[in-house]
Amino acid sequence: MRKLSRVFVLTLMLLVMVTSVSVYADETMTPEERFDERMEQFLEKRDERIARAEERFIEFEEKRLEHQSRKLDIITRLAPDMLEAYETGFENHNEIHELLFEAHKTVRENMFDEAMEEMDALKDELFEKAEAGEITYREVREKLKEAHETNRMELEAFRLELDEALADVRAEEEIDKEERTALKEELIIAIENKDYESAEEIIIQLYDYLLSHIEFDQYKLDVISSYID
């Protein structure tokens, strides 16, 4: 996996360790036991976040399908020759959104798996030194805080790198979005005025914008997928 995994893993997991290895924690537990307990909590929260994300995605897609159904009703009445093209376009758009969600999910899962491997190695190394008296648990905590700050900066650099990779297509998408919005307003006016010829022409124009938006989502998918092994 590319830089995304390494940066995210170290930033997130080191943060967990920093908050886990506390010299003021419950003295009935060893530092390693406290660490393991915190990791269990992290696993539970990870699963909860994934479940919530899946629920939000389902809700969002249900609303999308409702909107598409209403649009298809209008197209059926005013531009029936475009119906098949729009149906295919919507299907492609929905499929890409599903792939985008799965790509995000896969990246997170891959990062987590790699994190667990790195965490086991880091945990053994640090606690072995602490138990041998080579360093104190307070020193472990401070070293991890320093590492966390370093990787936080790397994460910010990665975000900027990703933003730069998407900057041009996002700018084009914003322009298209404004033009789509204007055309939709014109369509509403045309329908209200029973100017069905103009309405049909606008529906034909909007199809080109649908294709452009699908290309935008496909590009995002390609970029995100490039961070998956």
Side-chain angles (χ1 to χ4, degrees), residues 16-130:
V16 171
M17 290 190 66
V18 167
T19 56
S20 300
V21 186
S22 172
V23 295
Y24 302 110
D26 184 357
E27 294 184 357
T28 63
M29 301 174 65
T30 67
E32 189 166 0
E33 287 173 338
R34 292 195 296 271
F35 177 88
D36 290 339
E37 181 181 55
R38 189 56 180 267
M39 286 305 301
E40 286 297 323
Q41 295 172 358
F42 177 75
L43 283 167
E44 292 175 2
K45 290 180 179 179
R46 189 281 307 260
D47 292 341
E48 291 173 0
R49 284 195 295 269
I50 291 177
R52 287 196 299 270
E54 290 175 340
E55 290 175 0
R56 288 194 297 269
F57 177 74
I58 292 173
E59 292 174 358
F60 181 79
E61 290 304 296
E62 288 176 348
K63 291 180 180 178
R64 179 200 302 280
L65 291 175
E66 290 176 3
H67 291 158
Q68 289 176 351
S69 178
R70 289 195 291 271
K71 291 175 182 177
L72 289 175
D73 287 342
I74 295 173
I75 294 167
T76 299
R77 290 190 296 107
L78 303 178
D81 291 343
M82 294 297 299
L83 180 60
E84 184 176 352
Y86 265 97
E87 287 177 333
T88 300
F90 287 156
E91 289 175 3
N92 292 338
H93 191 201
N94 295 338
E95 181 180 357
I96 290 177
H97 268 257
E98 291 178 5
L99 292 174
L100 271 169
F101 178 80
E102 291 301 323
H104 277 291
K105 184 177 177 181
T106 298
V107 167
R108 293 188 183 99
E109 289 175 345
N110 287 351
M111 284 190 280
F112 184 81
D113 291 340
E114 184 177 333
M116 294 306 295
E117 294 178 4
E118 294 186 13
M119 188 61 108
D120 285 339
L122 187 57
K123 168 187 170 182
D124 292 342
E125 176 185 347
L126 292 174
F127 280 105
E128 181 178 346
K129 289 182 178 180

Side-chain angles (χ1 to χ4, degrees), residues 136-162:
T136 66
Y137 287 108
R138 184 185 294 275
E139 289 174 323
V140 169
R141 182 170 181 268
E142 290 304 315
K143 288 179 181 294
L144 292 175
K145 287 177 65 176
E146 293 173 2
H148 165 66
E149 178 59 21
T150 297
N151 285 281
R152 186 192 66 77
M153 295 173 64
E154 290 185 10
L155 177 59
E156 181 60 26
F158 166 76
R159 287 173 177 165
L160 293 174
E161 175 187 319
L162 188 59

